[in-house]
Amino acid sequence: MTEIRHRKGQQIAERLSPGLRDALSDKYDRILPGMADSLIEWAYGHAYAREGLDLKTRQLCTVAALTALGGQTGPQLKVNIAHTLAAGATPREITEAIWQMAVYGGMPAAINGLNAAADVFAERGIGPGQG
Amino acid sequence: MTEIRHRKGQQIAERLSPGLRDALSDKYDRILPGMADSLIEWAYGHAYAREGLDLKTRQLCTVAALTALGGQTGPQLKVNIAHTLAAGATPREITEAIWQMAVYGGMPAAINGLNAAADVFAERGIGPGQG
Amino acid sequence: MTEIRHRKGQQIAERLSPGLRDALSDKYDRILPGMADSLIEWAYGHAYAREGLDLKTRQLCTVAALTALGGQTGPQLKVNIAHTLAAGATPREITEAIWQMAVYGGMPAAINGLNAAADVFAERGIGPGQG
Amino acid sequence: MTEIRHRKGQQIAERLSPGLRDALSDKYDRILPGMADSLIEWAYGHAYAREGLDLKTRQLCTVAALTALGGQTGPQLKVNIAHTLAAGATPREITEAIWQMAVYGGMPAAINGLNAAADVFAERGIGPGQG
Amino acid sequence: MTEIRHRKGQQIAERLSPGLRDALSDKYDRILPGMADSLIEWAYGHAYAREGLDLKTRQLCTVAALTALGGQTGPQLKVNIAHTLAAGATPREITEAIWQMAVYGGMPAAINGLNAAADVFAERGIGPGQG
Amino acid sequence: MTEIRHRKGQQIAERLSPGLRDALSDKYDRILPGMADSLIEWAYGHAYAREGLDLKTRQLCTVAALTALGGQTGPQLKVNIAHTLAAGATPREITEAIWQMAVYGGMPAAINGLNAAADVFAERGIGPGQG
């Protein structure tokens, strides 16, 4: 079963972020052998590649959670906002999921999340109203 | 605008959890005047009643975030799992959103989230495979 | 300087919660030698006994922070709500400080904080409107 | 009631940080319609504008909580240290509230809070001993 | 590689907590298919079964982190205190690792951690001084 | 006892990070009188200088916890990775303790921890494989 998980995980990761596995390997495997394969297998094979919930909703859930968790997940929030666009969500769906977190994680977390979204949208030339 | 927000907020709250406003008022307004109306207006009027993202996805995002935030939100997680069923999600969609949080909030958070879901499902007589 | 800190710390602790040091010693020193004195010296000697901010405001700050930090500090929140009453704050000042945290730590944290306050007030026979 | 909340919220926000509402609107309303009014109404109208606790103490509670919550609230901590000076607190009262959080949120949180305070004081030409 | 990881993970899990995989399967696989194997493979195969750090130190690191993370990890902290005894640590080494977390996660986290340790020691008949 | 704690704390601090006390005093004592002595006495005197757990394991526990706590402790994580090398741990032991936290604090926390370790290793000219 685990080999299937690994292959499925790599397929999803490649769809959301082409070249992710090799980028991770280049950056981390020297100081922690096997890190890239572990991450792909766990995060994508054991989570995103599962059945029972569509990929776009999975990604919106991740954006919401990373927003609520706050500062420690800033870089990963940006990465996942990009993945969520790649999974078919509109910019507006993303900012709505982020803003709703003001209720659960507090206003600072939501504002920082909106700042992250604004940065990702600007990098990709996505203007307001295009959502 | 704010009056509209309050009315819309109350409509959504009533749909997800009939009688919620009055229950909050009975429990909290004595020690904090106006708490029930503030909560309904903010959480439901300024968040769930907004356009741009459907209610079921909003609820799944909330379940994911409360799972990742962990212990401090245990009681609210159960309430929101019930709201998420009321918004049309299947039990399986809920447990998938919870489990995915093992990647972001850690395994203990995900396990505690699954325990909360199992409790809510059991209270409602929802068996495995019914999702 | 440290001996003064220890004495001052013990004076403050005794004012807020008579017998605290010995209760801590009975409970913890067997599994962690010196725990009670360390806690008194650090928390009360190096923090609450300092000049520059009055004790009542210090306690309200602590109640606010423990509310925002959420679940992990539940038992300590109740202890500090009692200490804050002992430092001269009214019940209403305490619930106001707790509720304000909905903005920063999210609604679940504030609701759990109000529940803690309601419990402490009930244990002490403090009714609504007495603040 | 909500219209009154909105007006009172805007009055408090304007006192603590002139022009805040319009700055928020310029920055966020394009990607999330209505964000500025929601924030003013919720954070200032439903929290700071309430009776039962004076504004200076409210702000010190916020500084304490944002310090304890740590990294995710760094930018907001600086904004609120400035607001707390505007509400009449001395620099020393602010650093005392921050330091006390070492007991509850840990030493790293307190050190990061002191760094934020030192930055805000330096930007405003507030020297040591002026508190 | 992943098959090896799964087998190694199961060996470590069995050493620390005999029957863990099947207990997880009985409890969770009905509401989330494959949960038990995923947990064993990830937590034990990709983490504890790795080379480069001995098992006892790994467990003490986990106890320290779960203490610092606080409330959301209470049940898992108890499980891991038991695993840490099984990996060869003394009760005193465990309480020392917990107490040190007062510096990083705050005093409430450390006190809650000591309470968890006291419970586990009591359940196993481990008295003070036996560390 | 407290004078002994202060002296022992200063000895440990000096071993891990020569000149730490005076650097803290220069930076913080102006805005918070006595901060440097308080930190040395509490963090090093009441924690690291205690018996019952060796210094290297204590430091690995700290690295694990700061990784799991995430963003708010970024600067302190780097400082403690350096202290952990000074206490005799290998780079590999450090990255193993960090990575294991992916299970408890989530993948983003572990990745940010590895980034911190890579930075500290690079500053010190420690290459891969030297652990």
Side-chain angles (χ1 to χ4, degrees):
Chain A
M1 184 180 65
T2 56
E3 295 301 348
I4 295 169
R5 286 266 161 92
H6 194 91
R7 191 159 32 93
K8 278 192 178 176
Q10 174 58 7
Q11 284 171 352
I12 295 273
E14 194 64 19
R15 172 176 162 197
L16 294 173
S17 182
L20 179 62
R21 192 214 150 275
D22 290 350
L24 289 168
S25 180
D26 287 350
K27 192 165 179 188
Y28 296 108
D29 281 357
R30 289 174 308 120
I31 60 171
L32 191 82
M35 184 275 198
D37 284 324
S38 277
L39 186 150
I40 294 294
E41 190 171 323
W42 167 239
Y44 296 97
H46 284 276
Y48 289 94
R50 287 178 59 90
E51 298 181 357
L53 189 65
D54 66 283
L55 188 60
K56 176 183 149 183
T57 304
R58 284 188 183 278
Q59 278 293 155
L60 285 166
C61 286
T62 294
V63 164
L66 291 177
T67 296
L69 285 170
Q72 87 185 65
T73 54
Q76 288 79 22
L77 177 55
K78 283 194 179 182
V79 167
N80 274 282
I81 289 169
H83 288 190
T84 307
L85 291 168
T90 65
R92 176 72 183 273
E93 287 176 316
I94 291 169
T95 56
E96 290 291 336
I98 289 171
W99 176 248
Q100 185 171 313
M101 293 305 109
V103 180
Y104 301 104
M107 193 64 88
I111 291 174
N112 294 338
L114 290 178
N115 288 340
D119 286 352
V120 174
F121 297 167
E123 285 163 15
R124 294 167 177 253
I126 298 172
Q130 288 187 286
Chain B
M1 185 179 67
T2 56
E3 295 301 348
I4 296 169
R5 286 263 162 93
H6 193 93
R7 206 187 43 225
K8 278 191 177 176
Q10 175 57 8
Q11 284 171 352
I12 295 273
E14 195 63 21
R15 173 176 162 198
L16 294 173
S17 183
L20 178 61
R21 192 212 151 277
D22 291 350
L24 289 168
S25 180
D26 287 351
K27 191 164 179 191
Y28 296 109
D29 281 357
R30 287 174 310 119
I31 61 170
L32 191 82
M35 184 275 198
D37 284 325
S38 277
L39 187 149
I40 294 294
E41 190 173 323
W42 166 239
Y44 295 97
H46 285 276
Y48 289 94
R50 287 179 59 90
E51 299 180 355
L53 189 65
D54 66 283
L55 188 60
K56 176 183 150 184
T57 305
R58 284 187 184 279
Q59 279 292 157
L60 285 165
C61 286
T62 294
V63 165
L66 292 177
T67 297
L69 284 169
Q72 85 184 66
T73 55
Q76 289 79 23
L77 177 55
K78 284 196 178 182
V79 168
N80 274 283
I81 288 170
H83 288 190
T84 307
L85 291 168
T90 65
R92 177 72 184 273
E93 286 175 316
I94 290 169
T95 55
E96 290 291 336
I98 289 171
W99 176 248
Q100 185 171 313
M101 291 307 109
V103 181
Y104 301 105
M107 194 63 90
I111 291 174
N112 294 338
L114 290 177
N115 289 340
D119 286 352
V120 174
F121 297 166
E123 286 162 14
R124 292 164 180 256
I126 299 173
Q130 289 187 283
Chain C
M1 186 180 65
T2 57
E3 294 302 346
I4 296 170
R5 287 264 162 92
H6 193 92
R7 197 168 25 124
K8 278 192 177 176
Q10 175 57 8
Q11 284 171 353
I12 295 272
E14 194 64 22
R15 172 176 162 198
L16 293 173
S17 183
L20 179 61
R21 191 213 152 275
D22 290 350
L24 289 168
S25 181
D26 287 351
K27 192 165 179 189
Y28 297 108
D29 281 357
R30 288 175 308 119
I31 61 171
L32 191 82
M35 184 276 197
D37 284 324
S38 278
L39 187 149
I40 294 294
E41 190 173 322
W42 166 239
Y44 295 97
H46 285 276
Y48 289 95
R50 287 179 59 90
E51 299 180 356
L53 189 65
D54 66 284
L55 187 61
K56 176 183 149 184
T57 305
R58 283 188 184 278
Q59 279 291 158
L60 285 166
C61 285
T62 294
V63 165
L66 291 177
T67 297
L69 285 169
Q72 87 183 64
T73 54
Q76 289 79 22
L77 177 55
K78 283 195 178 183
V79 168
N80 274 283
I81 288 170
H83 288 191
T84 307
L85 292 167
T90 65
R92 177 71 184 272
E93 287 176 315
I94 290 169
T95 55
E96 291 290 336
I98 289 171
W99 176 248
Q100 185 170 313
M101 292 306 108
V103 181
Y104 301 105
M107 193 64 90
I111 291 174
N112 295 337
L114 290 177
N115 289 340
D119 286 352
V120 175
F121 297 166
E123 287 162 15
R124 291 163 180 257
I126 298 173
Q130 287 186 284
Chain D
M1 185 181 65
T2 56
E3 295 302 347
I4 295 169
R5 286 265 162 91
H6 193 93
R7 191 160 33 90
K8 277 192 179 177
Q10 174 57 8
Q11 284 171 354
I12 294 272
E14 194 64 21
R15 172 176 162 197
L16 293 174
S17 183
L20 178 62
R21 191 213 151 275
D22 291 350
L24 289 168
S25 180
D26 287 352
K27 192 166 178 189
Y28 296 108
D29 280 358
R30 288 174 310 121
I31 61 171
L32 191 82
M35 184 274 197
D37 284 324
S38 277
L39 186 149
I40 294 294
E41 190 172 323
W42 167 240
Y44 295 97
H46 284 276
Y48 289 94
R50 287 179 59 90
E51 298 181 357
L53 188 66
D54 66 283
L55 187 60
K56 177 183 149 183
T57 306
R58 284 188 184 278
Q59 279 292 157
L60 286 165
C61 286
T62 295
V63 165
L66 291 177
T67 296
L69 285 170
Q72 85 184 67
T73 55
Q76 289 79 23
L77 177 55
K78 284 195 178 183
V79 167
N80 274 283
I81 288 169
H83 289 190
T84 306
L85 291 168
T90 64
R92 176 72 183 273
E93 287 176 316
I94 291 169
T95 55
E96 290 290 337
I98 289 171
W99 176 247
Q100 185 171 313
M101 292 306 109
V103 180
Y104 301 104
M107 194 63 89
I111 291 174
N112 294 337
L114 290 177
N115 289 339
D119 286 352
V120 174
F121 297 168
E123 285 162 14
R124 295 168 176 251
I126 298 172
Q130 288 187 285
Chain E
M1 186 179 66
T2 56
E3 295 301 348
I4 296 169
R5 286 265 161 91
H6 193 93
R7 205 183 38 203
K8 278 192 177 176
Q10 176 57 8
Q11 285 171 350
I12 295 274
E14 195 63 22
R15 172 175 162 198
L16 293 173
S17 183
L20 178 62
R21 192 212 151 277
D22 290 350
L24 289 168
S25 181
D26 287 351
K27 191 164 179 191
Y28 296 108
D29 281 357
R30 287 174 310 119
I31 61 170
L32 191 82
M35 184 276 198
D37 284 323
S38 278
L39 187 149
I40 294 295
E41 189 172 322
W42 167 239
Y44 295 97
H46 285 276
Y48 289 94
R50 288 179 58 90
E51 299 180 356
L53 189 65
D54 66 283
L55 187 60
K56 176 183 151 184
T57 305
R58 285 188 184 277
Q59 279 292 156
L60 285 166
C61 285
T62 294
V63 165
L66 292 177
T67 297
L69 284 170
Q72 85 184 65
T73 54
Q76 289 79 23
L77 177 55
K78 283 196 178 182
V79 168
N80 275 283
I81 288 169
H83 289 191
T84 306
L85 291 167
T90 65
R92 177 71 184 273
E93 287 176 316
I94 290 170
T95 55
E96 290 290 335
I98 289 171
W99 176 247
Q100 185 170 313
M101 292 305 109
V103 180
Y104 301 105
M107 193 63 90
I111 291 174
N112 295 337
L114 290 177
N115 289 339
D119 286 352
V120 175
F121 297 166
E123 286 162 16
R124 292 164 180 256
I126 298 173
Q130 288 186 283
Chain F
M1 184 180 66
T2 56
E3 296 300 347
I4 295 169
R5 285 266 162 91
H6 193 92
R7 191 159 34 89
K8 277 193 178 175
Q10 175 58 8
Q11 284 171 353
I12 295 273
E14 194 64 20
R15 172 176 163 198
L16 293 173
S17 183
L20 179 62
R21 192 214 150 276
D22 290 351
L24 289 169
S25 180
D26 287 352
K27 192 164 178 189
Y28 296 109
D29 281 358
R30 288 173 310 120
I31 61 170
L32 192 81
M35 183 275 198
D37 284 324
S38 278
L39 187 150
I40 294 294
E41 190 171 323
W42 167 239
Y44 295 96
H46 284 276
Y48 289 94
R50 288 179 58 90
E51 298 180 356
L53 188 66
D54 66 284
L55 187 60
K56 177 183 149 183
T57 305
R58 284 188 184 276
Q59 279 292 158
L60 285 166
C61 286
T62 294
V63 165
L66 291 177
T67 296
L69 285 170
Q72 85 183 66
T73 54
Q76 288 79 23
L77 176 55
K78 284 194 179 184
V79 167
N80 275 284
I81 289 170
H83 289 190
T84 307
L85 291 168
T90 64
R92 177 72 184 273
E93 287 175 315
I94 291 169
T95 56
E96 290 291 336
I98 289 171
W99 176 248
Q100 185 171 312
M101 292 305 110
V103 180
Y104 302 104
M107 194 62 90
I111 292 174
N112 294 336
L114 290 178
N115 289 340
D119 286 351
V120 174
F121 297 167
E123 286 163 15
R124 293 165 177 256
I126 299 172
Q130 288 186 284

